[in-house]
Amino acid sequence: MDHLSFKTRSVNKASAEKAWVIVDASAGTLGRVASQIANILRGKHKPSFTPNADCGDNVIVINADKLRVTGRKMTDKIYLRHTGYPGGQRSINLRDKMAKNSASVIEHAVKGMLQGNRLGREQFRNLFVYAGAEHPHEAQQPTEHKLTNL
């Protein structure tokens, strides 16, 4: 076999083959679903994965309001933010955050699993989360992606 026939293919933004996949969030728990979504966004499931390029797929997440958590996380898990003013730390638990906007829970979890640089922000823009089963991306013809090891 010719040793020159196997070249390492480095993908850039122009040569990346980005597909559209749809993921059902009701299939598993929050962390397990979010970690697999983050891997799809990064492109780690592809043989042409390049760590310094946005080669992942566009992900549509449906049924965010049917997301499951284990234990007492609904009441005990606290999300903190700060207004920027003195004494401006605000907290909200998972149950209240799900009631207010269930899509933001998945977005927060996935964002924490991506890189904290320009590439991670660019990959996060490829995530679309919807509370119900309907989404406005039918024109992209997304394929169903079954999550494993849930």
Side-chain angles (χ1 to χ4, degrees), residues 57-114:
D57 293 338
N58 298 298
V59 179
I60 303 164
V61 182
I62 58 172
N63 295 326
D65 53 353
K66 295 180 182 146
L67 189 67
R68 293 185 294 127
V69 291
T70 58
R72 295 188 296 189
K73 291 189 190 83
M74 276 294 192
T75 56
D76 292 354
K77 185 171 178 60
I78 303 294
Y79 291 94
L80 295 175
R81 65 182 180 89
H82 201 281
T83 62
Y85 290 97
Q89 187 176 27
R90 304 288 187 258
S91 63
I92 187 170
N93 66 5
L94 181 58
R95 175 173 287 133
D96 296 338
K97 192 170 176 113
M98 287 280 287
K100 196 172 193 179
N101 185 5
S102 58
S104 67
V105 174
I106 294 179
E107 289 173 354
H108 187 272
V110 171
K111 190 171 190 174
M113 295 179 186
L114 293 174

Side-chain angles (χ1 to χ4, degrees), residues 4 7 15 20 23 25 31 43-44 46 48 50 60 108 116 119 124-125 129 134 150:
L4 297 176
K7 298 282 187 187
S15 65
W20 285 78
V23 173
K44 294 191 87 169
K46 295 183 177 183
S48 61
T50 306
I60 303 164
H108 187 272
L119 180 60
F124 181 71
R125 281 188 223 112
V129 184
E134 292 83 27
L150 298 175

Side-chain angles (χ1 to χ4, degrees), residues 24-30 32-33 66-69 147 150:
D24 189 5
S26 65
T29 58
L30 173 61
R32 291 177 183 266
V33 169
K66 295 180 182 146
L67 189 67
R68 293 185 294 127
V69 291
L147 299 177
L150 298 175

